[in-house]
Amino acid sequence: QVHLAESGGGSVQAGGSLKLSCAASGYPSSSYCLGWFRQTPGKEREGVAVLEHDGRTDYADSVKGRFTISQDYAKTTLYLQMDSLKPEDTAMYYCVADFPVSPCCYGDAPPSCFNHWGQGTRVTVPS
């Protein structure tokens, strides 16, 4: 059974940094796509970043150069390092997983590509 649990959200001033974590388990190590989505009230969930089992990463254009997705060596925790935060980054952030990896494993993939979701962690960047 896949288990995803996010942590690390909070409030940070514009220009600041925050690192989200996702404790991930129950997915096959041979072929997977892990990622982060975000959602603000009244808007659709949007893809932020993905990481494939072979180490390939991809990002939505809105966060390229500012956000970094990574995974620990044991492959039990997924991270999202967020730098140079902007008020428009304010959202609920969700950890997601899909396996085996599919052509959907790209930065701004639609939510329907991922079958497994965490509960979310809130990030607020006041304007």
Side-chain angles (χ1 to χ4, degrees), residues 34-80:
L34 301 178
W36 292 92
F37 271 70
R38 65 186 181 186
Q39 186 174 27
T40 54
K43 292 188 177 181
E44 295 289 324
R45 291 184 180 185
E46 62 172 352
V48 175
V50 295
L51 181 147
E52 198 172 312
H53 63 275
D54 61 358
R56 183 186 67 85
T57 59
D58 194 33
Y59 300 88
D61 288 343
S62 58
V63 306
K64 279 181 181 175
R66 299 189 299 121
F67 290 12
T68 303
I69 189 171
S70 63
Q71 190 176 32
D72 68 334
Y73 182 78
K75 297 185 178 182
T76 59
T77 307
L78 183 72
Y79 301 103
L80 185 67

Side-chain angles (χ1 to χ4, degrees), residues 12-16 38 40-41 43 46 66-67 83-93 123-127:
V12 61
Q13 292 187 343
R38 65 186 181 186
T40 54
K43 292 188 177 181
E46 62 172 352
R66 299 189 299 121
F67 290 12
D83 299 320
S84 303
L85 282 162
K86 306 175 181 180
E88 50 263 43
D89 295 319
T90 295
M92 184 72 83
Y93 283 73
V123 172
T124 303
V125 186
S127 57

Side-chain angles (χ1 to χ4, degrees), residues 91-114:
M92 184 72 83
Y93 283 73
Y94 298 91
C95 179
V96 298
D98 183 41
F99 50 88
V101 68
S102 74
C104 265
C105 193
Y106 54 91
D108 56 354
S112 59
C113 287
F114 294 87

